[in-house]
Amino acid sequence: MIPHEPRLRADAVGGQRIRFHRLLPLLSLACGLGACGRVPGQFEIVNNQVPTGGCAIPVNDTVYQGQGTLDAKLVRGGAGSAYFVFPLLKNNLSGASSGEVDSNKIVLTSFAVDISVLTGPPEITSLVNMLNADPSLSALLHYQTPWSGSIASGGGELSAIVAAFPTELAGRMLGTQGLSAQPSTFVNLRIRSFGHTTTRDMESDPFDYPVAVCAGCLIANTGSCPFSTMPTNTGNPCNVAQDYPVDCCTAGNDLICPAVVSQ
């Protein structure tokens, strides 16, 4: 993870609300004269896609998920992320004419993630406040992660995978004893994508995604290992700790999810 400074909300700067429809003509003029990072509506994250079997991420703006669930109790040691977001990116820059080079194609370079608490018990809010105040730990809440790919102009779309919640952060939340089997902690994952065309840098409109955080809420059924038949609930194909119920089995003190099946 590459730490970065958290970005202020675009509609609240210095206590003054800024209306984008008033600024858009000036922003468009400025970007026409030189490099510009973001003009609202040009480069956007449409939604969070729903992965299919084998963790394939589709490009389908009609099938998406509007809220997530993270079970911190199920986060595996060594996992790439406690929670993944699957953004559908769209390039609304003007398309190229037939036979012309697509100079408005966006080449992706990274994603930025900012994590904040929407609501939660004192143990969780105190933890997040402490992390934000410590420069050596704030990268658990504000960071960039590299990515590659390109999106054609004129409405081109591309799906991606973003490691949107560090496993260390999930472990620290679990360690506060503030999480429960019934989610009472809700966080916001603010995600932005970065890239460039042949002439300028690009930054997507921010995408806010709410996630409920719990300890054990996604564990559907448990039994001794191994199961004699395939479990009914096999969990999310990309990450067992998020979104879908999962059946688990116990082997000594270990909880194995999804449950293993006898051969």
Side-chain angles (χ1 to χ4, degrees), residues 21-248:
H21 71 273
R22 294 179 181 174
L23 290 179
L24 188 56
L26 295 177
L27 288 170
S28 298
L29 175 59
C31 291
L33 297 175
C36 182
R38 184 167 78 88
V39 175
Q42 288 188 340
F43 180 25
E44 61 178 326
I45 297 175
V46 179
N47 58 40
N48 182 35
Q49 294 283 273
V50 177
T52 60
C55 193
I57 312 303
V59 178
N60 185 344
D61 58 14
T62 66
V63 180
Y64 62 92
Q65 188 163 315
Q67 177 184 323
T69 302
L70 164 60
D71 191 335
K73 192 173 182 179
L74 294 179
V75 176
R76 296 165 171 167
S81 182
Y83 194 93
F84 292 94
V85 171
F86 312 105
L88 177 62
L89 306 161
K90 189 171 184 179
N91 179 354
N92 293 317
L93 294 171
S94 299
S97 300
S98 179
E100 290 184 350
V101 174
D102 189 356
S103 60
N104 281 336
K105 177 176 68 176
I106 298 175
V107 178
L108 301 176
T109 57
S110 66
F111 287 93
V113 179
D114 293 291
I115 302 171
S116 59
V117 175
L118 297 174
T119 183
E123 297 91 338
I124 299 299
T125 55
S126 295
L127 170 66
V128 170
N129 289 338
M130 181 274 291
L131 295 175
N132 267 318
D134 188 334
S136 67
L137 296 173
S138 61
L140 291 174
L141 301 169
H142 312 285
Y143 61 91
Q144 283 188 274
T145 181
W147 192 259
S148 65
S150 62
I151 316 169
S153 61
E157 294 180 330
L158 180 75
S159 61
I161 301 177
V162 178
F165 202 103
T167 57
E168 182 181 342
L169 178 59
R172 285 174 178 263
M173 284 189 173
L174 189 64
T176 67
Q177 305 298 314
L179 300 177
S180 61
Q182 296 299 319
S184 60
T185 297
F186 291 85
V187 301
N188 182 66
L189 309 180
R190 170 163 282 203
I191 298 172
R192 292 170 287 138
S193 181
F194 294 85
H196 60 83
T197 68
T198 57
T199 59
R200 58 189 171 113
D201 294 333
M202 297 293 299
E203 176 185 343
S204 75
D205 295 341
F207 176 72
D208 291 313
Y209 191 72
V211 174
V213 187
C214 68
C217 64
L218 293 181
I219 300 174
N221 301 295
T222 58
S224 299
C225 294
F227 279 16
S228 59
T229 59
M230 283 296 297
T232 302
N233 303 291
T234 57
N236 188 294
C238 299
N239 176 27
V240 73
Q242 72 180 71
D243 297 335
Y244 303 163
V246 61
D247 294 337
C248 305

